[in-house]
Amino acid sequence: MCPVNLLGEVETRVLGSLIEKELTTPEYYPLSLNALVNACNQKSNRDPVMNLNDNAVSEALRRLEKEGLAGPADAMDNRVTKFEHRLQEAFNLGRRETAVLCELLLRGPQTPGELRSRAERMYRFDDLGQVQSTLQLLAQREPPMAKMLPRQPGTKEARYSHLLSGDVQTPAPEAAPEAAIAHGTSNGERITRLENEVAALHKEVAELKQQLAAFRKQFE
């Protein structure tokens, strides 16, 4: 199953927060609305940091429930409604795929190295190769759930993004410094060549003037 509609920024944060708390603090999961609001507004492990209120989180929960991704948890104690994600039912992901997707939901595009260190509290990856293979599994699903973004100039690792909010549009990379230098060098060479040609023309004109003056003297 895949969400019919793409997730907005608040739904993404709510879903990521529910997944994170289930994996890192299962003793406090499912979450009450108040606990979920606090989880969404955490200053650690979040990018960007948000300041959501109860209404915004409640509305996001309603939209997530329509997509089959979250909803009220079944419990004997009905004094306080608690909420859970339903990612496993929706996508049937393994724990390592869930951990990587959770980090992408909470922090946005990241490199495999960043994902390995940040997801460690949810799943301990043996090496970068395991992170990359997990990202490939997400990317190869139908429809894809993650993709590799174009590498930015000056960076060693490509970043990956989730696709639950739609395809990620990245700005065209700026010209690499080497290309800029080469372009500057090409312009400099062209200017120098033109200056030399102008100087040669000046010299030819001066010589023609001298020859014309000498020719005139013959008839004086």
Side-chain angles (χ1 to χ4, degrees):
M1 173 185 173
C2 181
V4 175
N5 299 302
L6 301 177
L7 302 185
E9 190 176 38
V10 180
E11 293 99 86
T12 297
R13 176 58 54 87
V14 169
L15 181 59
S17 298
L18 286 170
I19 299 169
E20 178 196 53
K21 296 309 176 187
E22 184 203 20
L23 296 180
T24 59
T25 55
E27 65 272 22
Y28 300 114
Y29 180 85
L31 303 181
S32 66
L33 179 61
N34 184 60
L36 180 54
V37 171
N38 290 336
C40 291
N41 294 336
Q42 271 184 216
K43 291 182 171 58
S44 60
N45 304 316
R46 304 287 185 271
D47 187 15
V49 173
M50 294 183 174
N51 187 24
L52 303 176
N53 57 29
D54 291 6
N55 290 336
V57 173
S58 295
E59 180 59 29
L61 282 167
R62 281 191 287 272
R63 289 195 289 268
L64 288 169
E65 187 172 10
K66 285 181 63 177
E67 304 301 336
L69 294 176
D74 296 329
M76 297 296 293
D77 184 1
N78 294 321
R79 290 175 299 174
V80 177
T81 302
K82 295 190 175 182
F83 300 91
E84 63 183 2
H85 73 83
R86 294 168 183 163
L87 201 73
Q88 186 62 26
E89 293 90 331
F91 298 114
N92 192 29
L93 298 176
R95 188 178 177 101
R96 64 177 185 170
E97 295 165 83
T98 302
V100 166
L101 183 62
C102 178
E103 281 300 323
L104 293 175
L105 290 169
L106 292 176
R107 289 180 184 254
Q110 297 164 73
T111 66
E114 290 170 334
L115 287 167
R116 183 189 179 193
S117 61
R118 292 168 177 172
E120 187 175 14
R121 57 210 168 94
M122 293 178 280
Y123 184 89
R124 185 181 294 274
F125 289 93
D126 295 333
D127 50 39
L128 277 181
Q130 195 175 33
V131 179
Q132 290 167 334
S133 65
T134 301
L135 287 164
Q136 288 302 311
L137 287 173
L138 290 169
Q140 291 167 3
R141 294 179 69 95
E142 188 56 49
M145 298 181 70
K147 69 175 285 187
M148 183 174 70
L149 304 179
R151 186 179 302 176
Q152 296 298 303
T155 60
K156 294 182 179 179
E157 287 187 277
R159 298 184 305 160
Y160 289 78
S161 173
H162 74 82
L163 296 177
L164 295 187
S165 298
D167 197 7
V168 181
Q169 302 300 322
T170 55
E174 297 179 1
E178 304 93 306
I181 292 171
H183 184 65
T185 302
S186 176
N187 283 340
E189 291 174 349
R190 190 180 303 114
I191 291 170
T192 300
R193 186 172 66 250
L194 289 173
E195 288 175 343
N196 291 337
E197 290 175 359
V198 169
L201 287 172
H202 278 304
K203 185 177 179 181
E204 290 178 8
V205 169
E207 291 174 351
L208 286 171
K209 283 182 178 180
Q210 289 177 355
Q211 293 173 8
L212 181 59
F215 181 77
R216 284 176 175 174
K217 281 185 180 181
Q218 294 178 8
F219 298 93
E220 292 180 353

